[in-house]
Amino acid sequence: MKSDKFFKWIWNFNGLILFVGIILGSLLIVYQLSKPLFKKDTVAPPTLNLAEDADDEEKWSLGYPNIIGNTGFYYVPLESEKLYVDKKGRAESFSMYKYIPTRSKNIVFINSNTNESSWLFKSVKQLITEIRLLSFGNSPKSVIKAISYEVINNDTNNDGVFDNKDRRTFALSEVSGSRYTQIIEGYNRIVESKLNEEGNLFVVFIDNNEVYSMLVDLITFKVIDKKPLPKVGASK
């Protein structure tokens, strides 16, 4: 009787082992068959021949096309895979407010009506940290008056890279990218820039620990008025 129970226990144990083996084998077969379904082949985006690169150190790509209001113009950033550069023109930068890395070294403007296109700059030896469409309000029907830019052109602190520690250039252009005009050079950062009720651009910026406000005519791209903010307690 005891031997019958022993052999019965052995039989049940072997059956359990066989059952577990079948389950594991089935799972392995299902996994092997399903691998091609879940495997994703990563295809590297093509490197575009859009800029001179004698040392073959950059891989260029176009960013997202942005329509400029109802003008028919689009602007598309030219981006590099690198987020750092030496002072020859490859740079790391961060936008003014949230310090988001950017790779934009130039911008191409495309007229969707005539299919004509042009670059904002003649080289890639700068970094664009901010692009703003200047209009009254944020409605898609708002008339775009001009475009403003914050650009790093030089390694002003001589640390070997272009980054948020370097001084910037504030500039304007028409919606087509033409008539690019530098308004402020070598400042620390823009605090505010917005159109006022007269249609002029009101700007508050910091330069060498001094805070300035100014008005810019968006037709002529000339500074109408510029002055430092008064210090607290200063006599008028």
Side-chain angles (χ1 to χ4, degrees), residues 38-101:
F38 296 100
K39 183 179 180 181
K40 294 183 179 180
D41 295 328
T42 57
V43 179
T47 301
L48 303 179
N49 184 20
L50 289 173
E52 294 293 336
D53 184 18
D55 298 327
D56 195 26
E57 294 182 353
E58 300 274 10
K59 291 183 179 179
W60 300 103
S61 63
L62 288 176
Y64 186 80
N66 298 273
I67 189 167
I68 304 173
N70 57 0
T71 64
F73 282 95
Y74 287 79
Y75 75 85
V76 188
L78 175 65
E79 299 178 343
S80 165
E81 70 168 354
K82 289 188 174 182
L83 292 179
Y84 64 92
V85 298
D86 58 27
K87 62 181 64 178
K88 293 180 181 179
R90 299 175 176 82
E92 176 180 347
S93 175
F94 302 87
S95 68
M96 180 179 65
Y97 298 107
K98 296 182 180 179
Y99 302 112
I100 302 173

Side-chain angles (χ1 to χ4, degrees), residues 2-40:
K2 290 183 179 181
S3 62
D4 290 342
K5 290 183 178 180
F6 175 76
F7 284 113
K8 186 176 181 180
W9 180 85
I10 293 294
W11 176 262
N12 292 336
F13 180 76
N14 289 338
L16 179 62
I17 295 297
L18 179 63
F19 177 75
V20 172
I22 292 173
I23 294 297
L24 293 176
S26 300
L27 292 175
L28 181 61
I29 293 173
V30 171
Y31 172 74
Q32 293 294 335
L33 292 177
S34 63
K35 281 175 66 177
L37 298 177
F38 296 100
K39 183 179 180 181
K40 294 183 179 180

Side-chain angles (χ1 to χ4, degrees), residues 148-212:
S148 69
Y149 311 87
E150 289 194 71
V151 183
I152 297 176
N153 292 314
N154 298 292
D155 176 24
T156 56
N157 63 353
N158 296 313
D159 64 353
V161 295
F162 292 14
D163 59 23
N164 65 304
K165 298 177 183 178
D166 290 310
R167 293 177 176 272
R168 296 173 169 85
T169 295
F170 181 77
L172 298 172
S173 82
E174 296 181 352
V175 295
S176 62
S178 60
R179 212 155 60 88
Y180 178 85
T181 305
Q182 295 182 349
I183 306 299
I184 321 171
E185 295 184 63
Y187 66 93
N188 296 104
R189 71 183 183 94
I190 299 290
V191 178
E192 177 68 284
S193 63
K194 190 174 183 179
L195 269 63
N196 63 17
E197 294 181 356
E198 301 296 326
N200 298 317
L201 182 63
F202 170 68
V203 182
V204 179
F205 66 96
I206 299 173
D207 185 11
N208 288 328
N209 297 322
E210 294 283 344
V211 184
Y212 295 84

